[in-house]
Amino acid sequence: MILKAQLSNLDTIHDLTRACAKAMINNGIYQWNEHYPTRERFEKDIELQELYVLKKDNLIIGIVVLTEHMDDEYIPVDWLTQSNRNLYIHRLAIHPKYWSKGYAQQLMDFAEDYASKEKYASIRLDTFSQNTRNQKFYSARGYRQLGDIYFPKQSTHPFHCYELVL
């Protein structure tokens, strides 16, 4: 079941992403750290009603942020669509205990269905250049890699931007 996150979910959401960060670091992927994602960022996501949780057996096992707001880092990217009706996906995460079980697919199906129903021109996102698993995941779903952006507090490596035209 996928629902909008509540402020009462904040501790669980933050713990989930800390577990993801630790598991990624253990796999040599330095994508998330003490600077990102923060509890304050999730609190803002919830207040904006942009954060969704995936529940299994009444436990939050995954999250995703769906927003119309384009971060400044995305401005220089040569996007496929010029529309102002784009959906941005951020902070997609599945608790490591549930990796490789299709739950990220469920969250992406939800996001893509939502974008289609709301008549967005495209979906845009970024993923860490050192996370080849995520790159294959998005490419297999039809997302096209376009350009790179940087988040210096997270890594010196770039993040690849992707877009799916709807």
Side-chain angles (χ1 to χ4, degrees):
M1 178 183 331
I2 300 173
L3 309 161
K4 282 194 177 176
Q6 306 295 316
L7 282 174
S8 60
N9 303 139
L10 197 52
D11 289 337
T12 303
I13 290 165
H14 193 243
D15 290 346
L16 181 151
T17 57
R18 301 312 313 150
C20 286
K22 183 178 179 182
M24 285 188 289
I25 289 168
N26 288 341
N27 288 326
I29 301 169
Y30 299 91
Q31 177 175 337
W32 287 356
N33 57 31
E34 69 275 8
H35 301 291
Y36 184 86
T38 63
R39 181 182 165 86
E40 293 76 24
R41 178 67 255 178
F42 289 123
E43 189 171 0
K44 185 174 181 182
D45 293 336
I46 292 169
E47 288 169 0
L48 293 169
Q49 297 190 33
E50 296 175 342
L51 179 59
Y52 293 82
V53 296
L54 170 62
K55 288 188 169 186
K56 178 179 170 43
D57 301 327
N58 213 27
L59 296 173
I60 294 173
I61 65 164
I63 62 164
V64 67
V65 172
L66 306 179
T67 182
E68 292 183 2
H69 175 74
M70 182 173 84
D71 292 336
D72 289 343
E73 290 84 358
Y74 283 14
I75 292 171
V77 176
D78 188 17
W79 296 104
L80 299 171
T81 59
Q82 300 306 312
S83 171
N84 289 331
R85 284 285 295 158
N86 305 98
L87 186 68
Y88 296 86
I89 295 179
H90 297 296
R91 295 175 282 291
L92 173 69
I94 302 296
H95 193 286
K97 289 182 189 175
Y98 299 94
W99 284 0
S100 300
K101 298 184 187 313
Y103 294 112
Q105 296 277 6
Q106 285 183 31
L107 283 174
M108 287 303 295
D109 289 346
F110 172 80
E112 291 166 6
D113 289 346
Y114 175 85
S116 181
K117 286 177 191 168
E118 297 296 320
K119 305 217 183 310
Y120 286 98
S122 73
I123 300 173
R124 297 172 176 176
L125 55 87
D126 66 78
T127 194
F128 189 47
S129 61
Q130 304 303 295
N131 192 336
T132 56
R133 183 176 176 192
N134 277 5
Q135 293 168 44
K136 290 176 189 169
F137 176 74
Y138 294 121
S139 292
R141 294 187 71 87
Y143 287 77
R144 201 162 134 212
Q145 184 180 334
L146 300 174
D148 290 341
I149 58 175
Y150 291 86
F151 297 102
K153 285 187 175 180
Q154 287 174 249
S155 176
T156 57
H157 295 286
F159 286 71
H160 299 320
C161 292
Y162 288 79
E163 186 170 21
L164 176 71
V165 178
L166 301 174

